[in-house]
């Protein structure tokens, strides 16, 4: 099967605006879709001219409100609008599944256009997806399109399975929204004719669109084929993960045929099934699944064993192997700060006792530090402290007093201060002296209120991006066997 095309949905209010957007992205796009339902009313008589304004094939779509579009007038006026536009010799015309009008379709095909017969389901993945798509292939010449809404990992799995049953069908199969994002990047795995994208900072034509430049520059869409090795990240939420922008450019730099895709996952078991179906070679794990993947691992590295948290899963001949690169990733910026010789015995306060704190405390304890754990919920601090032989206290005045003796290094592991709630400061009552090293593992924003207070007092601060990168470099090595390339 041919590699899928990148289609840019044009949602401007004028043809001129669409022409400008088309020109901007032309280098990344194979097909434009004129979403005429977004056009101002006064533009509608001019639609036929649009094919002459761009240098690529064009799909004409006038989407009704109930299919997620903006066209509000009668069905008869919609059909008449499209009929009148056919003189523009569009390459494709989108015709909804329920609009069965042979004469109308004949007009479309005799104008030289291919029919894209589509249906949209913004609520579900219909159970009869496969039989419904088969039924939509009436003439055998049309492209059958289904845009459905997976609302779980199990739903996403059913979309990929449906694609497997429809290999012979000329089709476009899309999972919309966050759960469906991978279907947009992996259109070739689904055997889709194209993937839809939207221009940056313009109306997203459907939930889950990214822009064509990101699709090509980050995900290298047009290079994804049968032999592309698939990697990814699972988490929930996952929308703002930076990891694809760390891993994918390295594949490009090393000329590796591989892609790294984010998967929103609610159910780890369903994801492992999907990972087998797609032959995922390895994946990163983030909140809240670092503990949830453990029952599925055949082997675990010592850091995973000790922390009970796994952030890296690699396919091996014997089964899935779990690693925890957060531990070494956390230490890396400190080791650099101390010029390679991490001083044993330094006294450290760790704020927080959640999943992230486990990796941090383990790393510090292994490095011979004395650790004080302070947490809002004291019982959690106590439990973690018992595991690693540390001191503990609540995040109150008593805890702050104990800190005085444990403030050479302060590590902030809670999500207090992270976007979107950037006003929080987990250590509000503490006045920095200025000689502490203050390390925070949050990277959005890079400088939180907490770090900003520390910096104002002259403390050395270490931001969370350093750990993010260092853990990713180690993952890259585990996934590919190659060192992460320099100068990215
Ligand atoms: P993660 O895997 O990111 O560590 P987690 O396991 O849910 O996430 O842990 C969140 C940590 O942030 C906990 O230590 C939590 O404190 P509690 O155990 O008292 O819940 C801490 N945390 C979250 N919001 C906080 C806030 N506003 N102030 C102080 N600590 C906070």
């Amino acid at each position: 099967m041919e590699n899928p095309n990148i289609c840019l949905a044009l949602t401007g209010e004028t043809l001129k605006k669409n022409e400008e957007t088309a020109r901007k992205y032309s280098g990344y796009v194979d097909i434009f879709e004129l979403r005429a339902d977004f056009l101002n009313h006064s533009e509608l008589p001019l639609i036929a001219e649009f094919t002459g304004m761009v240098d690529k094939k064009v799909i004409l779509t006038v989407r009704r409100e109930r299919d997620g579009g903006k066209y509000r007038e009668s069905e008869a006026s919609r059909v008449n609008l499209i009929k009148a536009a056919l003189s523009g010799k569009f390459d494709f015309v989108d015709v909804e599944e329920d609009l069965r009008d042979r004469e109308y379709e004949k007009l479309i095909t005799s104008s030289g256009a291919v029919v894209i017969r589509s249906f949209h389901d913004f609520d579900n993945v219909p159970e009869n997806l496969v039989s419904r798509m088969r039924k939509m292939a009436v003439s055998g010449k049309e492209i059958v399109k289904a845009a459905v809404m997976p609302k779980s990992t199990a739903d996403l799995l059913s979309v990929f399975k449906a694609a497997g049953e429809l290999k012979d069908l000329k089709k476009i199969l899309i999972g919309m929204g966050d759960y469906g994002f991978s279907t947009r990047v992996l259109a070739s795995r689904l055997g889709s004719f194209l993937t839809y994208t939207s221009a940056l900072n313009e109306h997203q034509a459907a939930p889950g669109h990214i822009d064509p430049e990101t699709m090509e520059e980050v995900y290298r869409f047009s290079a994804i084929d049968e032999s592309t090795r698939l990697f990814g990240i699972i988490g929930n939420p996952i929308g703002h993960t930076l990891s694809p922008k760390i891993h994918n450019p390295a594949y490009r730099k090393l000329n590796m045929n591989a892609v790294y895709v984010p998967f929103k996952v609610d159910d780890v078991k369903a994801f492992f099934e999907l990972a087998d179906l797609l032959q995922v070679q390895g994946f990163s794990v983030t909140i809240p699944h670092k503990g949830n993947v453990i029952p599925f691992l055949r082997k675990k590295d010592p850091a995973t064993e000790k922390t009970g948290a796994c952030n890296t899963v690699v396919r091996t001949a014997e089964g899935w192997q779990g690693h925890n690169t957060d531990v070494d990733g956390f230490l890396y910026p400190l080791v650099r700060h101390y010029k390679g010789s991490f001083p044993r015995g330094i006294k450290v306060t760790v704020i927080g006792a959640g999943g992230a704190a486990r990796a941090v405390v383990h790393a510090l304890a292994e490095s011979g530090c004395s650790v004080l754990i302070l947490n809002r919920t004291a019982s959690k601090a106590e439990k973690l402290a018992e595991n690693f032989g540390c001191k503990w206290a609540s995040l109150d005045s008593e805890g702050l007093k104990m800190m005085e003796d444990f403030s050479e290094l302060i590590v902030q592991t809670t999500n207090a201060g992270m976007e979107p709630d950037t006003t929080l400061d987990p250590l509000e009552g503490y006045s920095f002296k200025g000689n502490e090293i203050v390390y925070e593992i949050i990277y959005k924003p890079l400088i939180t209120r907490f770090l900003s207070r520390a910096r104002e007092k002259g403390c050395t601060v270490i931001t969370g991006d350093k750990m993010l990168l260092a853990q990713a470099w180690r993952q890259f090595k585990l996934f590919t066997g190659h060192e992460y390339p320099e100068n990215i």
Side-chain angles (χ1 to χ4, degrees):
M1 187 170 283
E2 273 174 43
N3 267 9
N5 300 286
I6 296 187
C7 173
L8 174 62
L10 294 165
T11 56
E13 291 169 351
T14 63
L15 294 172
K16 187 96 197 102
K17 177 87 198 332
N18 283 330
E19 182 188 8
E20 281 164 19
T21 308
R23 191 170 302 135
K24 183 169 151 200
Y25 286 105
S26 186
Y28 297 108
V29 173
D30 307 297
I31 299 174
F32 295 115
E33 181 189 41
L34 177 63
R35 282 289 301 269
D37 49 308
F38 279 84
L39 289 172
N40 288 337
H41 206 264
S42 56
E43 298 278 310
L44 297 181
L46 309 171
I47 292 177
E49 293 173 17
F50 189 69
T51 46
M53 296 164 76
V54 293
D55 59 352
K56 302 272 157 67
K57 291 186 173 180
V58 185
I59 303 171
L60 174 60
T61 300
V62 188
R63 189 77 69 226
R64 306 173 289 207
E65 264 186 322
R66 70 168 126 132
D67 296 315
K70 291 181 65 130
Y71 196 79
R72 292 194 185 89
E73 289 170 40
S74 72
E75 194 60 348
S77 65
R78 196 170 70 103
V79 167
N80 283 336
L81 178 66
I82 294 174
K83 280 184 187 167
L86 291 177
S87 61
K89 302 238 167 290
F90 285 89
D91 301 279
F92 307 90
V93 175
D94 192 299
V95 178
E96 291 75 7
E97 178 195 27
D98 59 299
L99 202 115
R100 289 286 171 87
D101 179 340
R102 290 208 164 196
E103 288 309 309
Y104 171 56
E105 286 196 18
K106 233 189 215 161
L107 278 180
I108 293 173
T109 46
S110 55
S111 79
V114 172
V115 167
I116 298 180
R117 194 178 331 281
S118 67
F119 87 86
H120 295 76
D121 187 330
F122 286 90
D123 297 318
N124 287 299
V125 177
E127 269 181 32
N128 63 350
L129 180 60
V130 170
S131 58
R132 191 166 168 183
M133 288 185 76
R134 284 241 179 262
K135 273 204 199 117
M136 284 162 69
V138 180
S139 71
K141 295 196 174 116
E142 66 274 84
I143 299 171
V144 172
K145 169 186 171 184
V148 297
M149 185 64 87
K151 289 199 291 204
S152 65
T153 308
D155 282 352
L156 176 66
L157 179 61
S158 71
V159 174
F160 277 103
K161 280 184 176 166
E165 289 181 48
L166 293 167
K167 279 203 177 104
D168 55 310
L169 190 68
K170 189 148 189 188
K171 66 179 175 300
I172 302 166
L173 179 52
I174 301 150
M176 295 184 284
D178 286 352
Y179 279 108
F181 179 75
S182 56
T183 65
R184 298 194 181 278
V185 175
L186 301 176
S188 68
R189 290 292 165 98
L190 290 140
S192 278
F193 173 68
L194 59 75
T195 194
Y196 290 94
T197 58
S198 284
L200 212 57
N201 304 324
E202 281 183 31
H203 295 287
Q204 239 189 15
H209 279 194
I210 55 173
D211 70 279
E213 184 175 357
T214 304
M215 189 62 95
E216 194 53 43
E217 291 293 330
V218 176
Y219 294 104
R220 279 194 301 165
F221 180 84
S222 52
I224 301 174
D225 59 21
E226 292 288 300
S227 53
T228 301
R229 294 169 72 204
L230 184 54
F231 299 98
I233 177 163
I234 68 167
N236 190 1
I238 200 71
H240 295 289
T241 177
L242 294 176
S243 298
K245 291 185 178 162
I246 301 175
H247 287 266
N248 284 313
Y251 304 145
R252 181 192 291 272
K253 178 117 185 182
L254 295 182
N255 243 331
M256 291 173 54
N257 187 2
V259 65
Y260 182 99
V261 183
F263 292 90
K264 176 171 174 169
V265 166
D266 63 338
D267 170 6
V268 163
K269 185 167 183 285
F271 180 75
F272 274 99
E273 205 184 319
L274 181 63
D276 278 337
L277 183 70
L278 297 179
Q279 282 299 296
V280 173
Q281 296 301 304
F283 56 95
S284 314
V285 185
T286 187
I287 293 166
H289 295 314
K290 288 183 185 181
N292 300 341
V293 296
I294 289 186
F296 299 88
L297 302 174
R298 187 68 186 266
K299 286 187 285 181
K300 286 169 261 183
D301 76 347
T304 302
E305 288 280 5
K306 185 73 186 166
T307 59
C310 167
N311 78 328
T312 311
V313 178
V314 182
R315 181 186 289 280
T316 71
E318 294 80 43
W320 295 106
Q321 177 151 10
H323 303 260
N324 187 319
T325 69
D326 284 334
V327 172
D328 281 346
F330 165 75
L331 287 174
Y332 176 79
L334 281 176
V335 171
R336 283 191 56 139
H337 173 80
Y338 288 107
K339 309 246 180 318
S341 55
F342 198 115
R344 294 186 80 78
I346 64 167
K347 291 177 138 186
V348 187
T349 296
V350 173
I351 319 289
R358 285 189 76 80
V360 166
V361 171
H362 170 68
L364 291 167
E366 287 274 295
S367 309
C369 302
S370 288
V371 180
L372 166 67
I373 301 168
L374 298 186
N375 195 46
R376 183 174 61 179
T377 310
S379 58
K380 276 166 77 182
E382 180 179 12
K383 196 157 172 258
L384 183 58
E386 268 175 8
N387 258 321
F388 292 97
C390 311
K391 291 193 183 317
W392 62 275
S394 175
L395 250 182
D396 54 16
S397 53
E398 189 199 345
L400 295 185
K401 198 154 187 325
M402 284 173 77
M403 255 188 93
E404 281 172 20
D405 198 28
F406 282 82
S407 60
E408 189 170 340
L409 170 64
I410 300 170
V411 185
Q412 200 305 87
T413 73
T414 79
N415 34 29
M418 187 161 82
E419 285 178 5
D421 208 350
T422 55
T423 56
L424 293 177
D425 180 340
L427 209 57
E428 205 140 41
Y430 179 80
S431 300
F432 290 98
K433 297 187 289 285
N435 57 0
E436 302 94 330
I437 295 161
V438 184
Y439 184 170
E440 181 162 60
I441 68 175
I442 290 175
Y443 53 85
K444 272 191 172 174
L446 215 47
I447 302 290
T448 58
R449 256 190 78 193
F450 165 80
L451 267 200
S452 150
R453 280 201 305 119
R455 204 167 56 171
E456 272 167 27
K457 283 290 166 76
C459 300
T460 300
V461 303
I462 302 176
T463 48
D465 55 328
K466 309 281 188 308
M467 173 174 171
L468 174 74
L469 287 171
Q471 62 79 29
W473 298 335
R474 283 155 180 77
Q475 283 184 336
F476 187 85
K477 178 84 193 272
L478 290 165
F479 288 156
T480 67
H482 295 280
E483 293 298 334
Y484 192 84
E486 288 184 14
N487 303 323
I488 290 192

